[in-house]
Amino acid sequence: KMTMAFSLESRVPFTDIEVFNLSRTLTQEYKVRDKVTKVALREAAKKDIIVTSSGRTDAHVHALAQVIHFDSDLDLKANNYLHALNCLLPKDIRVIDATIENEEFHARFNSHDKEYIYKLNMGPYSMFERNYIYQFGKKLDVEAMREAAQLFLGTHDFRNFCTTTKDETNTYVRNLFIFEITQDKDIITFKVRGNGFLRYMVRMMIGTLIKIGLHKINKDVIIPIITEQNGAMTNPQAKPPVGSIDNASSLNPICTMK
């Protein structure tokens, strides 16, 4: 018996996708799970396998380095799995790395951190980039957003910056290590890294920063929203979500554990 670990890339230009626990019932998840099963258990195994991923992305988010694992009794080299899977997977999902791990490896629990990259265009509308970069079309105060973003860093209860219910999580506490905002002409890039994210957490934080960048609200609203934990407060979301990439990184041994 061996444990196979894969790093997946998923980009869907004109359709919707979520990539998360691959045993659940979304259409795209079934495609991945079924294709993995066909390769891993081809004729010899003839049984179902459980595929586990490092986590889920928000709706419409493109996944980069999404890691999955499953156990197999077949004696195949990791590289053979990689090529076989890429022959069977749909064109919008690719295996970019494959390794054989010990039985203790777990794609979710060995994850060290995750990273979201969100791009926003302040300039003229671009039909070619609309599925990867939020076509905002308005000028923002980038320096004001940078200052405000630093208030999210550290360990906080983010229940007011998500739509995750109490039944879906044991804790709303997350630790953010990096929140960078860079600008290249009209393109603003938000990079957020932490030990995990709640549903729409990044989108809601960035939605708040956009309002700060428009001078509609002040950065001083952030701390009260974080510290108010009765779930009654609401926040603007950045829309649409197509500018996001979820990078499930730092998985041992695919990426270095820190």
Side-chain angles (χ1 to χ4, degrees), residues 138-229:
K138 298 177 183 179
K139 298 300 181 182
L140 294 168
D141 185 338
V142 178
E143 189 57 39
M145 292 192 298
R146 286 194 185 110
E147 293 180 7
Q150 302 311 299
L151 299 175
F152 290 114
L153 294 178
T155 302
H156 304 288
D157 185 313
F158 285 97
R159 71 183 65 202
N160 287 318
F161 284 94
C162 73
T163 62
T164 304
T165 66
K166 293 180 179 179
D167 295 334
E168 295 173 310
T169 184
N170 294 324
T171 177
Y172 288 99
V173 176
R174 296 293 187 271
N175 184 14
L176 298 190
F177 320 133
I178 296 173
F179 204 138
E180 295 179 352
I181 302 175
T182 58
Q183 180 179 2
D184 183 8
K185 297 181 180 177
D186 285 329
I187 303 299
I188 298 176
T189 300
F190 301 84
K191 182 170 76 172
V192 189
R193 183 181 299 173
N195 63 353
F197 301 105
L198 300 158
R199 187 190 302 125
Y200 299 152
M201 174 178 160
V202 176
R203 197 172 302 171
M204 295 179 79
M205 290 190 297
I206 292 177
T208 302
L209 293 178
I210 288 174
K211 282 200 172 285
I212 291 173
L214 290 170
H215 297 158
K216 290 186 176 181
I217 59 175
N218 188 278
K219 68 177 182 179
D220 295 337
V221 306
I222 293 177
I223 296 302
I225 293 175
I226 291 177
T227 56
E228 178 63 48
Q229 297 180 5

Side-chain angles (χ1 to χ4, degrees), residues 238-258:
K239 296 179 180 180
V242 294
S244 302
I245 296 177
D246 180 48
N247 182 6
S249 60
S250 298
L251 287 169
N252 187 28
I254 296 173
C255 298
T256 305
M257 290 280 285
K258 299 178 180 178

